[in-house]
Structure formats: C-alpha cells, structure tokens
Amino acid sequence: LAASFSTPMPTVHQSRAFQPLLRPRTCAILAMVGDSNEPKKEMNRPLGDNIVTQAIYSLEMMRVKSQSETPSEENGNWDGEPKEWAEEDSLAQKVSRISQVGPFAAFKQWVADSIAGDYDVEKVTARVDGTIAGSPVVMFSFTTCPFCLKAKDLFANELGIKAENIMIVECDEDPEGNAIRAVLGKKTGRTS
C-alpha cells in the first residue's frame, strides 16, 4: 500500500456521509478533527479500520487485474482495463455518469479516502496545487485506466500538445497516489 497505517499524521480525512458506518469511537475522533478551524490532533487508524481499508484496496486491485486485457500486438501491448470502457456509449461510461452524483459519489469518495489511509491532507493538497500551478497541462492518471489512455492519446495526437508541456502523475506508481486521488475527489467531486 502507498500509505503507512502505523504512522501518525497531522490530519485524518474521512467522508462525513459514511461516518455512521465507522465505529462510534472513531466517529468521535473524526468529528473532532474534521473540517473545523481548531488545531488538528494526531491519531493512528484503529486496527479494524486498517483491516477494512486493506480489504477494500485488495479487492480493487483484484478487480483491475481480473478485468485487464492481456498485452498483445493486436491491442498495442495494452495491459489495463478494457479499452472499450472509454467509448462514449459503453456500459462503463453509463455507470460512471450515474456514480458521480448523490450517494454513489459519496461512496466512491469514502472508498478513495479509505484506500488513502492516514495522510497529511495539507501536504498532499499543497503538492496537488503546486503540480497544477507548475505546468500548462496536468493529468493525474492510472497506468491501467482506459479513460486515461484515451485522454493521453487526445493530448498527443488530436490536440498536438507536446510531451514537455504535459505533467502526468501516474497515481498507481506514486507513493502518495492514493492520497492524491482522495484530495482530487474532494477538489473536483470525482475520484476517477
């Protein structure tokens, strides 16, 4: 995992929509360190939360692996989720549109926050903001994501944006990638 579960961090970030699903002791701590202007407290995630988070992360990685294409000359040696998912009329696109609003979006943010684990929200947010400010075009990507592959192709081949003008952060290869995804979800309302 990209996040260490035993290291205390200055802030803990969890989606308020799913706080009732957490243990009562955890809810009280999260409410105490939430979005208020009060000083943040350090804490470690309880063992039960670590187990749930590791299970969610493992299930997501198993899903990606089981649904990924096998690299071949025919598919351009693509080793990711099916490229067809990025087509406008695909079932994956329809599900994506539905999952970006209401309780589905809140659930996706909760999953992103859970997978991110404990992290320094201010530090990661500053990193995201600095990355965005430092390049004319920034893309936060996953190497196995067909939507990301399509966007990269659009930048290079249809828009003619030179590689040196694009900053691509591959979140699945970055030690802070899961935390970046959680921060981007809070900033944009979308975790993917």
Side-chain angles (χ1 to χ4, degrees):
L1 293 175
S4 170
F5 294 111
S6 60
T7 304
M9 293 291 178
T11 58
V12 175
H13 214 84
Q14 290 286 337
S15 174
R16 293 195 184 281
F18 288 90
Q19 282 185 1
L21 299 177
L22 302 172
R23 295 183 316 174
R25 187 178 115 237
T26 306
C27 289
I29 293 171
L30 291 173
M32 185 172 63
V33 300
D35 296 325
S36 72
N37 291 326
E38 296 174 16
K40 308 296 183 194
K41 301 198 185 261
E42 291 186 8
M43 70 170 269
N44 288 322
R45 292 179 72 137
L47 178 61
D49 291 352
N50 290 339
I51 292 168
V52 169
T53 298
Q54 288 174 340
I56 290 170
Y57 184 81
S58 295
L59 287 172
E60 176 66 4
M61 293 302 98
M62 286 178 8
R63 181 197 65 78
V64 168
K65 187 173 182 167
S66 72
Q67 295 175 338
S68 290
E69 294 184 21
T70 303
S72 67
E73 285 184 38
E74 196 175 284
N75 71 6
N77 290 316
W78 174 245
D79 186 18
E81 295 170 310
K83 289 181 181 179
E84 294 80 28
W85 288 5
E87 299 301 322
E88 187 61 33
D89 61 346
S90 72
L91 178 61
Q93 286 281 18
K94 292 173 185 170
V95 169
S96 179
R97 281 186 214 102
I98 292 169
S99 71
Q100 300 307 318
V101 295
F104 297 113
F107 177 73
K108 285 182 73 174
Q109 183 65 51
W110 177 79
V111 169
D113 290 340
S114 295
I115 290 173
D118 292 340
Y119 64 94
D120 185 332
V121 176
E122 292 159 2
K123 177 184 165 225
V124 175
T125 300
R127 178 178 172 201
V128 167
D129 291 343
T131 301
I132 292 168
S135 182
V137 179
V138 175
M139 179 176 179
F140 295 92
S141 172
F142 288 86
T143 59
T144 60
C145 173
F147 304 98
C148 297
L149 179 67
K150 190 170 184 176
K152 290 171 191 172
D153 183 62
L154 174 81
F155 286 149
N157 299 321
E158 292 184 40
L159 299 176
I161 299 174
K162 295 177 184 177
E164 61 266 14
N165 292 327
I166 302 174
M167 166 58 95
I168 298 177
V169 177
E170 298 291 0
C171 292
D172 54 336
E173 295 177 347
D174 190 295
E176 293 181 314
N178 291 327
I180 290 170
R181 182 180 194 176
V183 166
L184 288 170
K186 298 277 189 214
K187 285 180 152 303
T188 67
R190 298 199 53 159
T191 59
S192 63

